[in-house]
Each structure stands twice: as structure tokens, then as C-alpha cells.
Amino acid sequence: MTRIVELLRQQPLGSVVEAQGWLRTRRDSGSLAFLELNDGSCLANLQILAEEGLANYESEVKKLSTGCALRVRGQLVASPAKGQPVEVRADCIEVLGWADPATYPLQKKRHSFEFLRSIAHLRPRTNALGAVARIRSALSFAIHRFFHEQGFIQVQTPVITTSDCEGAGEMFTVTTLSPEQMRGHNPFSADFFGQRAGLTVSGQLQAEIFALSHGRVYTFGPTFRAENSNTSRHLAEFWMLEPEMAFCDLRGDMAMAETMIKALLASVLAECAEDLVLFEQHVAKGLIDRLTQARDQPFVHLTYSEAVAELQRAGRDFSFPVQWGADLQAEHERYLCEEVARAPVIVTNYPAAIKPFYMRLDDDGRTVAAMDILVAGIGELVGGSQREERLEVLAARMSAAGLDLEQYGWYLDLRRFGSVPHAGFGLGFDRLVQFVTGMQNIRDVIPFPRTPGSAPC
């Protein structure tokens, strides 16, 4: 079977081809039926010309409706219709699966994204969600290609962990115990792992182990956060890309993150042009120009203090007050990159009090060597830092955060034995897809969104 995307790229005319896919529409004209077939390999449909001489024309072809699965064999010919180079004159049409038009929820009309979330098992068949899937796949492949070319080694960090990387207590607990067994002073001692375990919120701490033995590593996989948030930017299960680099400081960390984002944008602009046009026309006007600008122009750098000063000069009534020492909110982040810089912004040197224990304390003792990359429409896309490589400073910060130093003894060992300056960052992959597609809600760029009160499929 030949994929439709390959047939549309001008296979030899006159050749006999076979294709299979799902019917988008059927249009009858006298003794002919025009079928629009799509197999998910590209945005465009392949037109099938079905003539009444087909053996099953009356019994099956005339009864076809949106959603039916077909296998088609015929001759590839030039199409006289505008906008499609070729079509297939069918010799044989086999119905592999029927779709009852009375109950099939995807008809030939535009459906709201809210409605499509209620049928997560069928929404990939739509133009927009099909395009999201292809862009998501292209970006994932581009990530692995980029880091391979940069000399990184991929490390698979655990999904189940006993370490709370962010220290915010938002881990999903993993247990085999019943509620009745979850009593007593230390109930988890009798659990499967012999101690409390949870779904990872980050693979960073484990990635540091391999960065301090292999130099450059990255981990890319699902992470989980039990945060009761229903915003358009948050998920309970989301994918994170987390590179870690030994012998690297904050400056090198920022340079790698910016280089990577530009490389990923270059890949998707070159490889997914047709799908991006769909989003440009129907979802986010000016999208391609924004992505091109982010690819081609340097990112703007601001310290946290400079960012706060810009926000205080804005003359805006933000929902969240702006003051030094408070974390930047999405409305602040978007203002900085959409109205101040009009470009992606890298904000550095945040107050130590609002950042995790592992970030390197600056000489002033008030800020840390951290950086966030902010982009239009999203806000924070990347968060990273130089890690604290000094044993005494790290131990003091962990104690202040209330962490058990014995439990994190392995992490402190990395500072006892051959410690070096090192840095890394985390990129929210789903937010990257949201940025690239212009989709307004992050639930529409992940195949199966998990949010408070919702876990379809």
C-alpha cells in the first residue's frame, strides 16, 4: 500500500496504485462518485473517482459515508480539478469498515475543540488534530536528531521515583496499599518499594548522575504533577525534555537552549509547511511570521530585576501585583515578550526564595543562576539553571527546604566525588507544540490530556 502523501508527490502517472484510508466525503455526480480519502499521512485528501461500472457501486459505494475505512486499487491519473495534482480512477473499492452516519460523531463540518476533547479516541481524524499529531512527531524526531548531532547521550530516567525534584509536594503517590493499610507511623515501609514513591515531576536529578559521568546527556519522557490547575497551560501528565551538561555554566546553558529552539523551529518550518498553513489560516493569524522571527532573531536577555522594573513601568493593572521577590505569572511573561521585547525573552537571576534548592546561589546571596525562556502566547517555555556544585552550599539549601539529607545522600555524593560546574534546563514539550501550532489550549496538543477530573481513554 502506498501512503497518500507519496501518491500526491507525483508518482508516475498511469501506474496502478493501492491506497487505504478513511472516507472524508462522498459526492455523487450522475454515474460517478467522487470520494475523498485520507490516511493521516498528510493534510490533503486523495480523490477517488468511482464509476458505476464497479461491481459494488450500487451495493456499497453509493452507501458510503464519512468515517468508512476503504482500500482502493486503481490507476493514478492527472486531476483536472483545481488544487489537486492527481486522482485515482478506481478499479476496485473494498470496504474494510463501515461507519454508521446516524451515530458517527465526526461529520463534514467544523467541530469545536471543546467537543473534540470529549471524543479523544476519534479526534485525531480531524484536520487540526491530525496536523497536531504530525507536528508533534516531527518535533520529537528533531529533538533526538539535534542532541545526537550535539554529542548528547539519551538517558531513560525513572517514571517512579522517591525524589521530589521541585520540592513542592505535588507528586502522585504510587502504592499497592489499601486505605486500611495506610495507617500508622510509617505505612510505606510495608509498601512495594519499602518507602514512599511517586510519579516523577522531573528526571533532572537522575540526569545529573549521568551528566557527571558522560558529560552531555538528555532525558525525554512523561512527567506528572498533582497540581489542581485547570488553566489552558497546565496538564497533570506532560512531556519534558531535560538536557544536562557537565562543565557548563548559566551562559552555556542559555546558549544551548536558544540554539536548540531555533533548530527545532527550523525543522518544523521546513518539514511541516502544509500543516502550519492550516494553523495560520484557521487558528492563529501571523503564526508563520512569529515562528520565522523566533528562528532568525536573537532572543532578548533581561535579568529578573530588569523584568520587574519593565512590568512596574507598564502602567497596567495586572491580575497579580508585580513586586521584587514574587514569581512572574503568565500575564507578566507574555507582556515581556509580546509587548516589551516583541521576541522571545530569557529572564535570568531569579530570587533564590522562589526557586528550587538545586539552583546555584549567586554571589549576592539573594538570587540564583536561573533562567526562563518566555515566548508569545505561552509564557514560560523553558526553565533552567546552573546547578549548585558546592557541597556545603547545597546541603544548607536542602536543609532549609526541609529535605532529608540522608534520603538525598546519593545526590550529595555527586558533589563529594569529582564535582564540577554543570547546568541544564527543562523544556515543556507540549507547550512547544502549543507555541508552534498556535493552539489556545494545551489539552489540544497532547493525544490524551490528563487534567483534574478528566482522564479519557
Side-chain angles (χ1 to χ4, degrees):
M1 292 293 169
T2 305
R3 300 287 274 166
I4 286 176
V5 66
E6 296 165 359
L7 292 175
L8 294 174
R9 288 175 178 165
Q10 293 287 357
Q11 295 287 311
L13 295 179
S15 58
V16 175
V17 298
E18 290 189 356
Q20 54 196 8
W22 292 268
L23 185 65
R24 290 293 178 87
T25 64
R26 189 196 85 227
R27 177 173 57 87
D28 298 326
S29 178
S31 60
L32 298 174
F34 297 92
L35 312 178
E36 295 289 330
L37 201 66
N38 190 283
D39 65 358
S41 62
C42 63
L43 181 63
N45 300 326
L46 176 66
Q47 180 165 280
I48 310 297
L49 180 61
E51 300 173 293
E52 63 178 352
L54 293 172
N56 62 342
Y57 186 79
E58 292 293 337
S59 62
E60 294 187 322
V61 173
K62 293 295 290 290
K63 298 177 182 178
L64 292 172
S65 59
T66 300
C68 291
L70 309 177
R71 179 181 290 129
V72 177
R73 184 177 183 274
Q75 186 179 30
L76 192 68
V77 298
S79 176
K82 183 179 179 180
Q84 54 187 34
V86 296
E87 61 187 19
V88 173
R89 183 175 290 117
D91 297 326
C92 175
I93 296 178
E94 179 184 358
V95 183
L96 301 176
W98 292 93
D100 181 2
T103 56
Y104 186 61
L106 293 175
Q107 295 303 312
K108 188 185 176 183
K109 65 176 182 178
R110 293 190 68 179
H111 298 280
S112 70
F113 292 126
E114 291 80 4
F115 168 73
L116 293 176
R117 283 178 221 137
S118 71
I119 51 170
H121 58 299
L122 294 174
R123 69 175 185 166
R125 300 185 188 186
T126 64
N127 284 340
L129 276 296
V132 166
R134 287 186 293 272
I135 287 176
R136 191 178 176 99
S137 177
L139 284 169
S140 176
F141 182 78
I143 283 170
H144 292 294
R145 180 174 58 208
F146 173 83
F147 284 109
H148 176 75
E149 292 172 351
Q150 293 288 328
F152 282 70
I153 293 174
Q154 185 183 12
V155 176
Q156 286 80 29
T157 53
V159 170
I160 297 175
T161 180
T162 58
S163 303
D164 184 358
C165 179
E166 299 300 323
E170 296 172 343
M171 294 176 67
F172 286 97
T173 297
V174 175
T175 180
T176 59
L177 300 177
S178 67
E180 292 73 21
Q181 295 171 309
M182 296 282 290
R183 296 172 181 169
H185 175 66
N186 185 21
F188 293 102
S189 62
D191 206 350
F192 187 88
F193 295 106
Q195 59 183 311
R196 186 167 191 167
L199 298 179
T200 183
V201 299
S202 170
Q204 176 206 312
L205 301 189
Q206 289 84 2
E208 284 188 55
I209 295 172
F210 281 84
L212 296 176
S213 63
H214 290 71
R216 287 185 164 192
V217 302
Y218 73 102
T219 182
F220 184 30
T223 53
F224 309 84
R225 188 161 297 177
E227 181 180 7
N228 190 18
S229 175
N230 279 291
T231 77
S232 62
R233 301 167 60 247
H234 291 92
L235 293 163
E237 176 185 330
F238 50 98
W239 279 66
M240 285 289 289
L241 167 69
E242 298 176 289
E244 286 290 327
M245 297 162 285
F247 311 103
C248 181
D249 58 11
L250 182 63
R251 186 181 299 275
D253 197 37
M254 291 188 292
M256 181 60 71
E258 181 173 350
T259 300
M260 180 203 68
I261 292 172
K262 291 178 180 295
L264 298 181
L265 294 179
S267 293
V268 78
L269 284 164
E271 298 167 12
C272 302
E274 182 184 41
D275 290 322
L276 289 176
V277 169
L278 169 74
F279 294 110
E280 167 92 23
Q281 293 176 343
H282 300 291
V283 176
K285 301 296 183 184
L287 173 68
I288 295 175
D289 282 345
R290 287 197 294 274
L291 298 180
T292 302
Q293 179 195 41
R295 178 196 66 187
D296 296 341
Q297 296 185 7
F299 291 1
V300 174
H301 289 241
L302 294 172
T303 66
Y304 170 86
S305 296
E306 291 169 339
V308 168
E310 287 284 357
L311 292 165
Q312 290 174 334
R313 286 195 296 266
R316 293 279 186 91
D317 290 327
F318 292 110
S319 299
F320 293 88
V322 179
Q323 59 183 10
W324 201 99
D327 206 358
L328 300 182
Q329 302 298 316
E331 60 177 341
H332 308 143
E333 296 168 342
R334 291 187 58 179
Y335 176 81
L336 290 171
C337 54
E338 293 173 15
E339 300 192 43
V340 175
R342 299 188 182 277
V345 174
I346 304 180
V347 179
T348 62
N349 305 102
Y350 282 79
I354 63 173
K355 288 298 183 180
F357 65 88
Y358 53 75
M359 295 187 175
R360 193 181 199 279
L361 196 63
D362 290 330
D363 291 342
D364 62 9
R366 300 176 67 218
T367 61
V368 288
M371 65 93 176
D372 286 345
I373 299 182
L374 317 178
V375 296
I378 303 296
E380 182 188 341
L381 178 65
V382 168
S385 71
Q386 183 173 340
R387 315 311 189 190
E388 183 57 76
E389 85 280 10
R390 297 166 294 184
L391 176 61
E392 295 78 8
V393 178
L394 178 61
R397 294 206 66 202
M398 293 174 73
S399 294
L403 298 179
D404 183 345
L405 298 190
E406 183 177 350
Q407 181 184 355
Y408 288 85
W410 62 269
Y411 191 66
L412 294 169
D413 274 352
L414 300 177
R415 277 68 180 174
R416 291 189 179 98
F417 310 125
S419 182
V420 300
H422 59 289
F425 59 85
L427 175 141
F429 182 63
D430 309 291
R431 288 190 182 181
L432 174 65
V433 179
Q434 196 179 359
F435 175 60
V436 167
T437 59
M439 295 288 273
Q440 295 299 303
N441 198 309
I442 200 168
R443 303 177 195 198
D444 299 321
V445 299
I446 189 168
F448 306 103
R450 270 73 174 111
T451 55
S454 178
C457 302

